[in-house]
Amino acid sequence: MVLVKSTLAAILLMFGSILSAATFADTRVQGVVEVVWGDPPAETQQPAHFRIQVRSDAGQIIVVPSDGPERDALARLAGSRVELTIGAEAADGSPELRFLRMIATEQGDAMLGGAVLGSQPWVSLLCKFGDVAAEPEDLAFFQGMYANQPGGLDHYWREQSYDLIDVVGSTAFAWVTLPNPQTFYVPTPGSGTSANLNRIFDDCTAAVDPVVDFSNGGNPFVGINLMLNERLDCCAWGGTRFATLDGISKSWRTTWNPPFAYANQGVIAHEMGHGFGLPHSNNFDNDGNPYDSHWDVMSSATASAINDPTYGRLGKHTLAYHKDRLAWISAAQRFEPSSNGSYTITIDALALANTDNYRMARLNIDGSSRYYVIEVRDQIGYDGNLPGRAVIISEISSGRSEPAWVVDGDVPPANANNNEGSMWRVGEVFTDAAAQIRVEVLSATANGFEVGITVGPDLPDGVFDDGFE
Ligand SMILES: [Zn+2]
């Protein structure tokens, strides 16, 4: 197993105290990796948040700082059981965390960031803060949210995954009341990051326990959408949470949703996407805001979205890079040249239910972990309100918090990427000469574009309408 060694700026024990390095010196800890992403309402323009923590078997929560190089490795182990050593102090006085290994479990719930296939039943738990009586939506709203009807999440995830997943069997239960008032769980409603997500999860699942069987009659729920009746902190949150519920010990895909989240189904789809292990994607302006790409429900959940009278702005498709991670794109539908040369391929719109052509091209860069993904987007299905029909090019770099950035040929890149610079049209050429990659949009086809791809040192001359040189 790869050894990842990093310096911990802080180790927090969320059940009360902050442990010193000495307390943990050379201590081996086994536990489960939990990751959660925090998303503020779009209109606030506030930053995104991300947490990785390890829930030890003793119930301690070890918070892994999000700025270290180990973050991506651990994030990809979301839901996995791991062994860590909390070691001696480093030169700067802070303790060291060493990730030792991943521990296989019988339940096969490791690597939640990988393939997601088959039926994925979720349960919505509607929990009211003890001092807030409001019920912003009724039970029928939350049950209907899972429908296999346009606008419903079952319909949505089927289209998104080409029927490789569904959320059949998902349901919602009537509002219950938490034992404590809002400010017990959320010291500063509407701001900060101090919502006690752990306690909300524990109290909400306990409050519904008399009526909810998490084993679901032998078809256990995979995920839990916690629907709150008032604000949390900055954000809605989505990721994973390890817990034992009705005898089932596993990492549950989990989301924490204040009313602004369930006002738009696209936000719930985004949070469930985090539950399925997806990170954010981004546009190309390098401004640190991961919500300014119109081409991915995992960036802006609601921009360029279809509107539904009941469920608000609906989720659109996610980038081909993300679908590939989830194993929703077959090898036959992924073009990945293994040798230098020029190729002409047809890529069809990503939202098409079926295709005999490619859904994506992956262009690797020699000697680099960076690569490009080429896809086609069109105004089809849940992509129906996208800016237009175009080739979309993403630069993938797994070491950053949003691995996929949609390339923008404009200089400077636009603040939001519903712009021509991000939409590669017939006759336009993208060239990354240093990477020895050239992509030319040759012609429109029935369902996409014919694309000319050249990789290697002998790039042809061309009119570089967009792109790098
Ligand atoms: Zn998010």
Side-chain angles (χ1 to χ4, degrees):
M1 202 62 212
V2 177
L3 182 75
V4 177
K5 181 177 180 181
S6 67
T7 299
L8 271 178
I11 295 173
L12 301 183
L13 192 62
M14 290 183 73
F15 296 138
S17 60
I18 297 174
L19 296 188
S20 69
T23 310
F24 263 142
D26 301 310
T27 301
R28 283 199 178 205
V29 177
Q30 289 192 359
V32 175
V33 179
E34 297 177 338
V35 298
V36 288
W37 285 260
D39 301 302
E43 65 273 15
T44 66
Q45 296 283 306
Q46 293 295 302
H49 298 278
F50 181 60
R51 296 178 188 164
I52 302 177
Q53 59 194 29
V54 175
R55 180 177 300 273
S56 80
D57 295 344
Q60 299 163 335
I61 295 179
I62 302 159
V63 175
V64 179
S66 60
D67 56 354
E70 79 289 1
R71 175 177 68 171
D72 188 57
L74 280 171
R76 284 174 176 274
L77 297 177
S80 303
R81 177 168 292 278
V82 297
E83 185 170 46
L84 306 170
T85 313
I86 316 273
E89 290 185 18
D92 65 358
S94 58
E96 288 178 334
L97 170 70
R98 275 188 277 178
F99 162 60
L100 294 179
R101 65 188 179 109
M102 192 175 80
I103 303 166
T105 67
E106 293 176 359
Q107 298 192 310
D109 56 359
M111 302 290 282
L112 284 186
V116 177
L117 299 167
S119 204
Q120 306 285 322
W122 286 65
V123 60
S124 290
L125 308 183
L126 319 183
C127 283
K128 296 190 280 190
F129 294 110
D131 59 338
V132 182
E135 297 180 358
E137 300 288 353
D138 63 16
L139 177 59
F141 173 90
F142 292 104
Q143 289 173 330
M145 185 179 271
Y146 286 121
N148 183 15
Q149 302 280 340
L153 286 163
D154 188 43
H155 189 264
Y156 169 78
W157 285 111
R158 286 169 184 264
E159 180 183 307
Q160 172 78 275
S161 70
Y162 316 115
D163 272 329
L164 291 171
I165 73 166
D166 60 59
V167 297
V168 167
S170 298
T171 189
F173 287 86
W175 287 101
V176 295
T177 302
L178 296 169
N180 294 292
Q182 182 186 17
T183 53
F184 173 86
Y185 303 100
V186 187
T188 58
S191 67
T193 58
S194 56
N196 191 336
L197 303 180
N198 290 299
R199 188 63 185 264
I200 291 169
F201 180 100
D202 289 341
D203 283 1
C204 192
T205 53
V208 300
D209 194 50
V211 293
V212 177
D213 171 16
F214 288 92
S215 73
N216 197 24
N219 179 31
F221 295 113
V222 302
I224 300 170
N225 284 319
L226 299 169
M227 306 297 196
L228 288 312
N229 70 334
E230 244 293 354
R231 291 180 298 180
L232 295 172
D233 46 14
C234 59
C235 290
W237 297 82
T240 58
R241 172 59 149 80
F242 183 87
T244 299
L245 300 171
D246 289 322
I248 296 177
S249 297
K250 69 174 184 181
S251 290
W252 304 79
R253 311 182 191 281
T254 304
T255 71
W256 291 258
N257 303 289
F260 88 79
Y262 51 79
N264 291 293
Q265 180 258 35
V267 177
I268 301 301
H270 177 112
E271 300 307 333
M272 290 173 74
H274 288 318
F276 289 135
L278 292 181
H280 293 136
S281 67
N282 211 334
N283 72 339
F284 220 64
D285 65 357
N286 199 21
D287 68 352
N289 173 0
Y291 303 116
D292 42 13
S293 174
H294 286 237
W295 304 96
D296 190 356
V297 68
M298 297 312 298
S299 179
S300 176
T302 54
S304 293
I306 292 175
N307 200 58
D308 180 271
T310 303
Y311 293 105
R313 289 179 170 269
L314 306 178
K316 53 192 161 278
H317 282 249
T318 192
L319 291 175
Y321 163 70
H322 289 151
K323 295 193 185 205
D324 198 29
R325 277 176 62 152
L326 296 169
W328 296 348
I329 293 179
S330 70
Q333 293 172 330
R334 183 196 316 104
F335 176 74
E336 187 172 355
S338 56
S339 58
N340 291 339
S342 290
Y343 307 87
T344 299
I345 64 170
T346 297
I347 305 177
D348 276 349
L350 196 64
L352 272 185
N354 298 289
T355 178
D356 292 328
N357 293 313
Y358 291 107
R359 291 202 189 277
M360 63 175 275
R362 173 177 168 153
L363 306 179
N364 298 304
I365 300 171
D366 259 359
S368 172
S369 60
R370 202 166 59 93
Y371 59 96
Y372 289 101
V373 169
I374 318 299
E375 67 191 77
V376 170
R377 302 297 286 275
D378 196 1
Q379 296 168 324
I380 294 172
Y382 287 98
D383 273 356
N385 205 28
L386 287 185
R389 178 177 179 180
V391 171
I392 300 297
I393 301 174
S394 298
E395 179 200 54
I396 314 298
S397 179
S398 61
R400 60 192 177 201
S401 51
E402 310 94 28
W405 290 12
V406 171
V407 173
D408 184 345
D410 285 353
V411 180
N415 290 328
N417 67 359
N418 54 338
N419 66 322
E420 277 302 320
S422 301
M423 300 168 66
W424 302 80
R425 313 270 200 175
V426 173
E428 293 188 320
V429 178
F430 165 76
T431 303
D432 183 341
Q436 300 184 332
I437 284 173
R438 180 184 188 274
V439 178
E440 179 172 3
V441 185
L442 298 172
S443 63
T445 60
N447 294 310
F449 292 97
E450 188 179 55
V451 178
I453 292 170
T454 302
V455 293
D458 301 319
L459 299 185
D461 293 332
V463 179
F464 298 147
D465 298 319
D466 287 304
F468 319 125
E469 293 181 58

